[in-house]
């Protein structure tokens, strides 16, 4: 079934009493009872499917989780309270029965790098960082590090590099490691990492999937082998999403394919326009034929979809010039997020990569004149004229 169809049908219309609600209601109950206590006993014992306590299962979350499984073509999903909670629990599940070592892409969401260094490392889980787009380097890092888990993003932030998920999945598998892929930037419309051999996919639902700037949430979608591990971890540790957020996310996802198509088309046009501006030194966008991962992009991405993130450098600009430019924006929102219906501009050195040492940022290629634009669904002419007056 096409993803547009799955987005509006999967997970919904579960029978509740005699009637079937057209959309999934918000279930707020923290616990559930049955006519006979014996049945609750069987539910607690997991001999019978059913609800008992909201940390274990919640019907609203179940609807969303079914929808996420359908979108990513996975086996099991867990809706989490944030994208970072999803990253943490996916890594924990991946390392459960494996060596406590991680090989991770060196270009990752800022908080993910911080989590590896300040949450996992103190627990004795060491991470070796590698250029995930250099397959030979990845192979070497896996051989040297003997990791239990490899972690990467489908499209890296903010320089939009694209690694070969299928090849890396094969390498990880051969070494007995699980592959965890953060698919937030690409979304299941562009890439479904589980189909390419990844074991666990994570999302910040806060971004494209919920899409309206009103939800904080995350999700893990797994292959068959890791489903029960993730759910068991969650039953004990409880990183679960609240049912109101779950409802909003399901509502958002119904239009996600439409929104994302529009965002991708807008982004192509804006990237092209930016590349022609004299004040713009360099544009980072996957459609660029000169993109270092161009061959991989054409192999793994669907035709004419390159994502909706555009990064660019302003010639000779430092923090001051960047702030002036950002203050001039009237339509594009200067906010620390992405994937919403409205366009958003972020200054990585100030926000997403703020806590990294300047030298580490420099090594990652994130210069002080770099801006990241998350393209929204507005009319492209309006976004362009806003950028034009701000760049003036
Ligand atoms: C935003 C984001 C996260 C973290 O998600 P939260 O919902 O903010 O916790 C993780 N990975 C990527 C790629 C993101 O963009």
């Amino acid at each position: 079934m096409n993803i547009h169809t799955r987005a509006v049908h999967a997970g919904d219309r579960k029978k509740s009493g005699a009637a079937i609600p057209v959309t999934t209601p918000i279930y707020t109950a923290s616990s559930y009872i049955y006519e006979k206590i014996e049945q609750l006993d069987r539910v607690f014992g997991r001999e019978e499917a059913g609800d008992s306590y909201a940390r274990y299962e919640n019907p609203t979350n179940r609807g969303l989780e079914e929808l996420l499984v359908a979108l990513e073509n996975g086996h099991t999903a867990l809706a989490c309270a944030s994208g970072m909670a999803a990253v943490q629990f996916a890594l924990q599940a991946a390392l459960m029965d494996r060596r406590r070592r991680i090989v991770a892409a060196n270009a990752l969401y800022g908080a993910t790098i911080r989590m590896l260094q300040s949450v996992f490392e103190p627990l004795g889980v060491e991470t070796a960082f590698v250029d995930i787009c250099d397959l030979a380097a990845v192979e070497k890092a896996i051989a040297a590090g003997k990791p239990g888990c490899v972690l990467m993003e489908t499209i890296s932030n903010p320089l939009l590099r694209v690694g070969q998920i299928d090849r890396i999945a094969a390498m990880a598998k051969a070494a007995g490691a699980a592959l965890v892929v953060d698919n937030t930037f690409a979304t299941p419309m562009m890439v479904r990492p589980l189909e390419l051999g990844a074991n666990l996919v994570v999302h910040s639902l806060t971004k494209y999937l919920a899409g309206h700037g009103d939800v904080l949430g995350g999700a893990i979608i797994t292959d068959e082998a890791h489903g029960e591990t993730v759910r068991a971890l969650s039953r004990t540790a409880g990183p679960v999403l609240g049912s109101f957020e779950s409802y909003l996310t399901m509502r958002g996802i119904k239009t996600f394919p439409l929104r994302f198509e529009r965002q991708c088309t807008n982004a192509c046009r804006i990237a092209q326009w930016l590349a022609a501006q004299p004040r713009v030194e360099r544009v980072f966008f996957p459609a660029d034929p000169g993109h270092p991962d161009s061959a991989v992009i054409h192999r793994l991405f669907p035709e004419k979809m390159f994502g909706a993130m555009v990064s660019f450098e302003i010639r000779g600009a430092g923090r001051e010039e960047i702030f002036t430019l950002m203050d001039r924006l009237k339509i594009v929102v200067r906010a620390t997020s992405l994937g919403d219906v409205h366009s958003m501009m972020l200054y990585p050195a100030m926000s997403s990569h703020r806590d990294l040492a300047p030298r580490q940022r420099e090594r990652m290629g994130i210069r002080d004149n770099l801006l990241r634009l998350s393209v929204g669904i507005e009319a492209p002419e309006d976004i362009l004229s806003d950028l034009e007056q701000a760049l003036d």
Side-chain angles (χ1 to χ4, degrees):
M1 213 186 287
N2 186 285
I3 195 161
H4 287 265
T5 314
R6 278 180 274 156
V8 295
H9 286 286
D12 275 322
R13 291 177 278 287
K14 299 286 188 270
K15 202 166 160 104
S16 165
I20 299 172
V22 168
T23 54
T24 302
I26 303 171
Y27 286 85
T28 56
S30 51
S31 46
Y32 294 81
I33 55 171
Y34 294 85
E35 299 280 350
K36 294 279 182 203
I37 192 79
E38 275 199 341
Q39 191 174 1
L40 183 59
D41 182 47
R42 288 196 299 275
V43 169
F44 269 128
R46 310 192 59 243
E47 296 148 37
E48 182 178 322
D51 296 300
S52 55
Y53 188 60
R55 194 174 70 238
Y56 304 155
E57 290 267 353
N58 167 294
T60 314
N61 286 22
R62 198 158 47 241
L64 171 62
E65 285 157 354
E66 197 176 305
L67 174 56
L68 292 166
V69 162
L71 294 182
E72 283 287 3
N73 203 3
H75 183 271
T76 302
L78 176 73
C80 298
S82 70
M84 291 319 297
V87 173
Q88 173 175 351
F89 282 89
L91 290 175
Q92 257 180 268
L95 294 177
M96 191 64 106
D97 297 315
R98 294 190 178 91
R99 291 176 296 268
R100 308 282 196 276
R101 282 195 293 277
I102 300 172
V103 163
N106 57 13
L108 289 170
Y109 184 68
T112 303
I113 298 178
R114 211 149 62 236
M115 178 182 284
L116 293 169
Q117 294 172 337
S118 64
V119 178
F120 282 94
E121 205 181 299
L123 290 173
V125 180
E126 282 192 23
T127 300
F129 291 97
V130 65
D131 177 357
I132 208 78
C133 297
D134 179 348
L135 279 186
V138 175
E139 189 157 36
K140 230 167 98 182
I142 291 176
K146 302 202 174 9
C149 164
V150 177
L151 170 67
M152 65 184 287
E153 293 172 3
T154 313
I155 302 178
S156 80
N157 176 36
L159 297 179
L160 315 178
R161 295 292 307 269
V162 180
Q164 309 202 47
I165 294 177
D166 50 353
R167 306 271 156 83
I168 295 163
M171 285 181 198
K173 188 174 178 187
L179 177 63
V180 177
V181 179
D182 183 333
N183 202 31
T184 301
F185 273 42
T187 85
M189 272 205 89
M190 287 174 68
V191 177
R192 287 168 301 282
L194 296 170
E195 292 176 356
L196 300 173
N199 305 99
L200 298 108
V201 168
V202 300
H203 275 280
S204 168
L205 297 173
T206 317
K207 314 296 168 53
Y208 290 104
L209 294 177
H212 293 73
D214 53 7
V215 176
L216 185 81
I220 308 173
I221 303 103
T222 78
D223 61 9
E224 188 170 359
H226 293 82
E228 186 41 36
T229 313
V230 166
R231 303 253 15 144
L233 254 180
S234 169
R235 280 195 292 273
T236 306
V240 297
L241 188 66
S243 54
F244 287 92
E245 285 77 8
S246 203
Y247 158 77
L248 279 173
T249 305
M250 267 191 111
R251 191 177 213 276
I253 288 176
K254 291 180 198 303
T255 55
F256 145 69
L258 280 179
R259 285 186 276 111
F260 194 66
E261 274 180 359
R262 168 67 172 241
Q263 286 168 306
C264 287
T265 315
N266 279 358
C268 276
R269 178 141 168 219
I270 287 161
Q272 236 168 21
W273 181 86
L274 281 168
Q277 303 310 303
R279 273 198 75 192
V280 174
E281 184 175 337
R282 194 164 160 203
V283 177
F284 300 85
F285 188 63
D288 177 3
H291 190 290
D293 311 313
S294 191
V296 183
I297 287 164
H298 286 95
R299 192 167 73 78
L300 296 183
F301 288 4
E303 225 177 303
K304 296 200 181 118
M305 281 197 112
F306 298 98
M309 302 297 296
V310 184
S311 296
F312 55 101
E313 291 174 342
I314 303 295
R315 203 177 296 284
R319 181 185 163 93
E320 209 169 306
E321 292 81 8
I322 294 290
F323 278 20
T324 305
L325 187 156
M326 289 180 80
D327 276 337
R328 281 196 193 143
L329 293 168
K330 295 191 172 82
I331 292 173
V332 175
V333 180
R334 295 159 301 194
T336 311
S337 190
L338 63 112
D340 287 340
V341 283
H342 46 263
S343 295
M344 279 181 283
M345 179 97 79
L346 167 146
Y347 182 33
M350 184 198 83
S351 47
S352 60
H353 293 72
R354 181 192 189 99
D355 291 347
L356 303 179
R359 261 194 30 236
Q360 191 175 1
R361 268 206 306 270
E362 193 73 34
R363 263 204 314 276
M364 293 171 75
I366 299 165
R367 298 170 63 197
D368 283 348
N369 64 347
L370 181 76
L371 283 166
R372 190 194 80 185
L373 179 67
S374 164
V375 179
I377 64 169
E378 301 97 332
E381 311 78 51
D382 290 329
I383 307 172
L384 288 181
S385 62
D386 196 31
L387 292 174
E388 184 164 31
Q389 62 83 25
L391 274 167
D392 206 5

